[in-house]
């Protein structure tokens, strides 16, 4: 299988980007073709053979990744698989691309593989980086219902069948939107603990717009993808979970502002998933109400 890789960058981590690209170049098997997208910024120096695209403005994470996908032909069709890697990550092993080839070749319905993210110094995996509710054991691989946007491999046929990432989301929940559409089309998603991306431990709330976009996109996600009876149930559960976490006053104000925005602004085309997909998600341990 022919493998490509998409990396988006703001140009502010040149050393980490170079280390990531070196780790991709060291992958066993046929070389991985890499495209680096400068998301509203110049791309730092990269090794020979790495293609670069510099966008005049920041299109957000899904927008930047969609540009990277299209660099491999419509829907990425010039390659069979695409790796999506954060620019401050690092592939911990040299056999990750070969493991991906083997996994996708063995299961023609496997659409997406979510890698395990581990801190390079401690080896620890944050709970939020295990894409399932039962996240206590990050070393357990399993079938899941979503994936990590900056540490995954996706069969490009998924994009040609269900479309790319929702660009209007800009940041947060774009992976789940794609995952739900892929699952509704019959694809499978795996979390693999043996496919590791080293990445420093961070808090998502470090982004200034985190609380607003998380809330807005949560509403958009439900409005776009859930059967009508599940929309209020899903959003009600997340409202309760947000309050139970007792965020700060400014964070809660931003969250409610985003929640309101999610209801009052266009969310894109509505394609509610089939009820059998709801049942599949439930059997996989994550019904689409949480």
């Amino acid at each position: 299988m022919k493998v490509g890789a998409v990396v988006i960058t703001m140009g502010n981590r040149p050393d980490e980007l170079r280390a990531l690209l070196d780790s991709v170049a060291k992958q066993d098997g046929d070389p991985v073709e890499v495209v680096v997208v400068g998301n509203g910024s110049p791309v730092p120096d990269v090794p020979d053979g790495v293609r670069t695209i510099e966008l005049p403005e920041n299109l957000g994470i899904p927008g930047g990744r969609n540009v990277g996908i299209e660099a491999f032909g419509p829907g990425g069709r010039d390659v069979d698989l695409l790796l999506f890697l954060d620019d401050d990550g690092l592939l911990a092993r040299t056999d990750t691309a070969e493991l991906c080839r083997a996994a996708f070749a063995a299961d023609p319905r496997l659409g997406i593989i979510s890698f395990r993210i581990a801190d390079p110094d401690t080896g620890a995996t944050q709970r939020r980086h295990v894409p399932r509710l039962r996240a206590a054991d990050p070393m357990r691989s399993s079938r899941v219902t979503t994936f990590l946007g900056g540490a995954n491999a996706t069969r490009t046929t998924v994009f040609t069948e269900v479309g790319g990432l929702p660009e209007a989301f800009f940041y947060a929940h774009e992976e789940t939107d794609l995952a739900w559409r892929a699952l509704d089309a019959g694809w499978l998603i795996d979390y693999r603990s043996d496919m590791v991306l080293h990445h420093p431990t961070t808090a998502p709330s470090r982004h200034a717009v985190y609380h607003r976009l998380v809330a807005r996109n949560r509403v958009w996600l439900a409005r776009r993808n859930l059967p009508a009876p599940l929309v209020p149930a899903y959003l009600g559960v997340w409202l309760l979970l947000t309050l139970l976490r007792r965020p700060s006053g400014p964070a809660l104000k931003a969250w409610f502002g985003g929640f309101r925005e999610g209801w009052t602004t266009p969310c894109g085309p509505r394609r509610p998933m089939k009820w059998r997909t709801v049942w599949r998600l439930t059997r996989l341990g994550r019904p689409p109400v949480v």
Side-chain angles (χ1 to χ4, degrees):
M1 288 189 169
K2 192 172 182 181
V3 181
V6 173
V7 181
I8 59 173
T9 183
M10 299 292 291
N12 55 350
R13 294 189 281 238
D15 294 338
E16 292 89 340
L17 174 62
R18 187 65 181 237
L20 169 66
L21 297 176
D22 288 345
S23 74
V24 174
K26 292 175 182 176
Q27 291 299 297
D28 302 333
D30 292 339
V32 177
E33 184 180 349
V34 183
V35 169
V36 177
V37 178
N39 214 355
S41 67
V43 176
D45 289 337
V46 297
D48 292 340
V50 173
R51 287 193 288 156
T52 62
I53 300 171
E54 294 184 352
L55 302 178
E57 61 178 312
N58 183 355
L59 299 182
I61 293 173
R65 286 186 178 140
N66 282 345
V67 169
I69 293 167
E70 295 301 308
F72 290 92
R77 68 185 182 189
D78 294 345
V79 293
D80 301 296
L81 315 173
L82 278 174
L83 309 180
F84 294 87
L85 306 169
D86 278 350
D87 68 342
D88 56 345
L90 180 77
L91 289 174
R93 297 168 44 157
T94 62
D95 63 349
T96 301
E98 285 288 79
L99 289 172
C100 289
R101 290 184 179 102
F104 285 109
D107 189 346
R109 295 311 301 165
L110 179 61
I112 303 170
I113 298 174
S114 190
F115 300 166
R116 179 167 64 89
I117 292 180
D119 185 275
D121 298 321
T122 66
T125 296
Q126 292 180 270
R127 186 180 181 89
R128 68 186 182 91
H129 285 151
V130 182
R132 58 177 181 244
L133 291 180
R134 296 180 178 178
D137 182 9
M139 300 306 295
R140 179 173 67 87
S141 299
S142 69
R143 198 134 277 174
V144 291
T145 63
T146 188
F147 64 98
L148 306 175
N152 74 83
T154 301
R155 193 189 296 266
T156 53
T157 313
V158 172
F159 300 123
T160 58
E161 186 171 337
V162 307
L165 296 155
E167 296 189 7
F169 279 41
F170 197 84
Y171 167 83
H173 304 317
E174 69 273 4
E175 304 95 340
T176 300
D177 186 271
L178 176 60
W180 284 0
R181 286 184 281 126
L183 289 163
D184 198 48
W187 294 101
L188 303 171
I189 306 172
D190 280 352
Y191 166 73
R192 289 280 297 265
S193 64
D194 58 335
M195 302 181 187
V196 182
L197 184 81
H198 278 165
H199 188 285
T201 298
T202 56
S205 55
R206 71 190 185 279
H207 299 291
V209 295
Y210 170 79
H211 297 286
R212 179 179 69 85
L213 294 187
V214 161
R216 183 198 68 181
N217 293 356
R218 182 81 69 185
V219 178
W220 281 359
L221 180 68
R223 290 175 59 199
R224 285 164 58 94
N225 295 287
L226 291 182
L230 294 185
V231 173
Y234 177 80
L235 295 175
V237 167
W238 278 104
L239 172 60
L240 178 60
L241 288 173
T242 299
L243 295 175
L244 289 174
R245 290 169 178 169
R246 302 179 67 181
S248 68
L252 192 60
K253 181 179 179 181
W255 192 94
F256 273 110
F259 193 79
R260 188 181 309 108
E261 184 181 348
W263 285 108
T264 58
T265 55
C267 65
R270 173 168 165 77
R271 299 188 181 94
M273 66 177 66
K274 308 173 189 72
W275 282 104
R276 69 185 181 200
T277 304
V278 173
W279 177 236
R280 275 185 71 200
L281 291 166
T282 303
R283 286 190 292 113
L284 287 169
R286 189 148 196 171
V289 293
V290 65

